[in-house]
Amino acid sequence: MKKLLCSLLIGGFSTMASAHPTSFQGSTGLMGEHSPSLSHNQLNHSWRYWFATGLHYYQRPQEGDDSYAVLGTTNFLLKRWNKSNLQANLYALGGAGYSNFKGVGGEVYFAGAQFDIEDRDYYFLAKHKHMFTTDGSDYQASTLRVGFSPYVEGFDGIHSWLILSVMQTKFWDESPTWEVTPTLRVFYKNLLFEIGQSFSGDTNFNYITHF
Amino acid sequence: MRNIFKTTIIAFSFIFSASAFAEIEGTKSSKIEVEVHGMVCAFCATGVKNRFSKFESIKEVNVDLDTMKVNLELKADATLTEDEIKAAIKESGYEYKGAKYE
């Protein structure tokens, strides 16, 4: 297990918000991650706490309405560590769909992995995802996030986290871009919002809700 | 005399263990405090709360994130077994560590 975690940590990471790809049995989650370069909305349903299926819609706002991808995914919780004051998770994600990122429609396949660990004060996430396309418009994103909670609240309170997100994205033959984004996360019960402003001036907005 | 004493001790042990078993089954309790490992955030706790809210026998569910405990209040004459509690925690994705029946 140590080797696996190390390879995840060394191998590169990705993506934006910190959603758990699976949630409690029978729940449905709606999540969105929005930046000037990419908009991503997803709807997941957890059939078991360790297995969910999802529908994803990606769009590149700067490229217009025609630059999009639609995917269906399956999300697996491979391992969860439940401790008295801590939780850690290892997820695998896979899927397939249709991509029109380059204006020429084609099949797209998706693979991803996520590791996260949190207690009530600190939070860490590492994620990588890769879209493989038949027309050469591959997309990959890696994210590392570390955060802390300036105060600890009870179940009914408003929770806040200060998060630093480091993300690398690469759209097919374009040069990889790096973004470092301080982010404020606020959540109340099953509603979570995040807003961040990257050092390059981009504003990111994310949301998650489970019902 | 010794035999009578032995029999009395055994009888008392049996009665005591039988009443303890009834408490573990929760049939006589109106309030149950459940310890859960891994329930570190309000999102996690919402899952646990929703799962317990589906039980007809439960009147109220309260989550205490500070102590990682779920407090259940049963309806009058309702029952909830330890196995049902364990299954609910497991289906929510967390680890059951014990229950105290009041």
Side-chain angles (χ1 to χ4, degrees):
Chain A
M1 184 51 69
K2 272 185 182 172
K3 279 184 182 174
L4 180 59
L5 295 182
C6 286
S7 64
L8 272 170
L9 292 169
I10 294 163
F13 313 96
S14 80
T15 316
M16 316 163 204
S18 58
H20 287 178
T22 65
S23 188
F24 53 91
Q25 184 171 316
S27 68
T28 300
L30 187 62
M31 303 165 220
E33 304 161 326
H34 302 279
S35 71
S37 62
L38 190 71
S39 172
H40 173 202
N41 288 293
Q42 58 176 303
L43 184 69
N44 289 315
H45 183 77
S46 292
W47 304 96
R48 296 282 185 274
Y49 76 88
W50 51 267
F51 173 65
T53 50
L55 191 62
H56 300 243
Y57 182 78
Y58 290 85
Q59 192 186 13
R60 294 191 74 189
Q62 291 163 339
E63 306 297 322
D65 292 345
D66 292 337
S67 182
Y68 68 93
V70 182
L71 291 104
T73 62
T74 52
N75 310 334
F76 292 94
L77 171 64
L78 299 178
K79 174 74 181 167
R80 170 168 288 168
W81 293 265
N82 284 314
K83 301 294 175 191
S84 60
N85 289 302
L86 183 146
Q87 183 194 122
N89 303 289
L90 182 63
Y91 298 95
L93 312 123
Y98 176 83
S99 165
N100 197 45
F101 270 147
K102 264 187 159 179
V104 182
E107 297 155 20
V108 61
Y109 302 95
F110 171 87
Q114 175 176 321
F115 173 74
D116 57 64
I117 183 167
E118 64 182 298
D119 63 11
R120 298 191 71 203
D121 298 298
Y122 300 100
Y123 153 77
F124 170 82
L125 173 138
K127 186 172 178 178
H128 180 79
K129 65 180 181 183
H130 197 131
M131 279 190 212
F132 306 89
T133 59
T134 49
D135 64 356
S137 60
D138 283 19
Y139 161 73
Q140 49 186 307
S142 302
T143 303
L144 263 182
R145 299 181 124 221
V146 288
F148 75 96
S149 178
Y151 60 90
V152 173
E153 262 290 350
F155 175 67
D156 292 320
I158 295 173
H159 301 249
S160 301
W161 288 77
L162 298 171
I163 295 168
L164 189 68
S165 174
V166 181
M167 183 171 160
Q168 189 212 49
T169 54
K170 187 175 184 313
F171 290 98
W172 42 96
D173 51 0
E174 295 174 9
S175 300
T177 58
W178 285 88
E179 261 193 6
V180 180
T181 310
T183 300
L184 171 67
R185 169 193 286 181
V186 178
F187 73 95
Y188 173 71
K189 291 187 177 173
N190 63 336
L191 279 173
L192 182 152
F193 294 98
E194 289 181 352
I195 188 153
Q197 177 89 26
S198 75
F199 289 151
S200 58
D202 288 345
T203 302
N204 297 333
F205 172 72
N206 308 319
Y207 68 89
I208 304 173
T209 183
H210 289 288
F211 44 88
Chain B
M1 184 64 183
R2 185 181 266 182
N3 281 343
I4 292 170
F5 182 72
K6 260 187 181 175
T7 310
T8 308
I9 293 288
I10 290 166
F12 267 106
S13 304
F14 181 75
I15 290 162
F16 179 77
S17 62
S19 81
F21 181 73
E23 282 217 329
I24 287 168
E25 286 298 301
T27 53
K28 302 289 182 194
S29 303
S30 62
K31 289 185 179 178
I32 307 170
E33 185 184 83
V34 186
E35 190 180 349
V36 183
H37 276 193
M39 190 178 63
V40 294
C41 68
F43 261 33
C44 315
T46 300
V48 175
K49 190 169 181 173
N50 286 359
R51 181 63 190 86
F52 278 115
S53 299
K54 288 178 183 170
F55 282 101
E56 286 287 321
S57 55
I58 295 177
K59 183 178 164 188
E60 197 174 333
V61 185
N62 285 303
V63 175
D64 187 344
L65 284 176
D66 294 327
T67 57
M68 306 289 163
K69 283 174 181 159
V70 180
N71 296 297
L72 308 172
E73 188 175 342
L74 301 187
K75 289 177 184 170
D77 299 324
T79 61
L80 189 69
T81 67
E82 189 179 25
D83 285 345
E84 287 174 317
I85 295 170
K86 275 183 186 173
I89 299 293
K90 193 179 175 186
E91 282 174 21
S92 304
Y94 306 103
E95 193 174 329
Y96 169 83
K97 294 305 286 185
K100 202 191 291 181
Y101 294 79
E102 295 169 18

